[in-house]
Amino acid sequence: MSTVKSLWAMAQGDPTFMRRVNGWLAVFWLVMIPFSLWMGWLDSVIYVSALSLWALVSGHWSAWQAARVEVQQQEDAKAREKEDLVSEVVAAILAKTNLERAPHNAQASDASLN
């Protein structure tokens, strides 16, 4: 059971994998439409009920995935708002340079040169 959970967690965290899975499922169901017509399965209440259940599950799963993305985007936006980029840049510059105050006399002599 833990293997299934770890695979599920991996699949949920990998958008490329999820895009591929959903793409292949869409292709599968597109192929199933004419095949279902040809086999006469659309006259079966059980088959149509199963399709309806699948539509419900996949629709809610899609909405849930979209909501997860929106929540993550909101959290990222809040984190960016809390960041003080200017202070971080100044701190990085100060850490990489050796800035010291000029002596008081040096400031006065610089002013007299202008």
Side-chain angles (χ1 to χ4, degrees):
M1 186 66 173
S2 65
T3 305
V4 172
K5 285 184 181 181
S6 65
L7 285 173
W8 179 253
M10 181 190 70
Q12 291 294 309
D14 187 4
T16 303
F17 175 77
M18 292 303 295
R19 188 182 68 224
R20 287 181 180 156
V21 167
N22 287 321
W24 282 110
L25 284 172
V27 169
F28 171 77
W29 285 111
L30 283 172
V31 169
M32 284 299 292
I33 292 170
F35 186 72
S36 300
L37 285 169
W38 179 66
M39 294 294 290
W41 290 347
L42 293 179
D43 295 331
S44 168
V45 173
I46 295 172
Y47 181 74
V48 173
S49 298
L51 282 179
S52 298
L53 288 174
W54 172 251
L56 283 170
V57 169
S58 64
H60 285 292
W61 189 23
S62 310
W64 175 63
Q65 292 290 343
R68 284 182 53 222
V69 169
E70 287 180 12
V71 167
Q72 185 62 45
Q73 287 174 342
Q74 287 176 348
E75 290 173 358
D76 291 346
K78 286 179 184 177
R80 278 193 306 272
E81 287 175 4
K82 289 181 181 179
E83 290 178 357
D84 188 9
L85 187 58
V86 174
S87 296
E88 291 176 15
V89 170
V90 170
I93 290 172
L94 290 175
K96 292 181 179 180
T97 59
N98 186 14
L99 295 178
E100 297 178 5
R101 285 187 175 240
H104 182 65
N105 293 340
Q107 289 177 352
S109 64
D110 287 341
S112 65
L113 292 175
N114 290 336

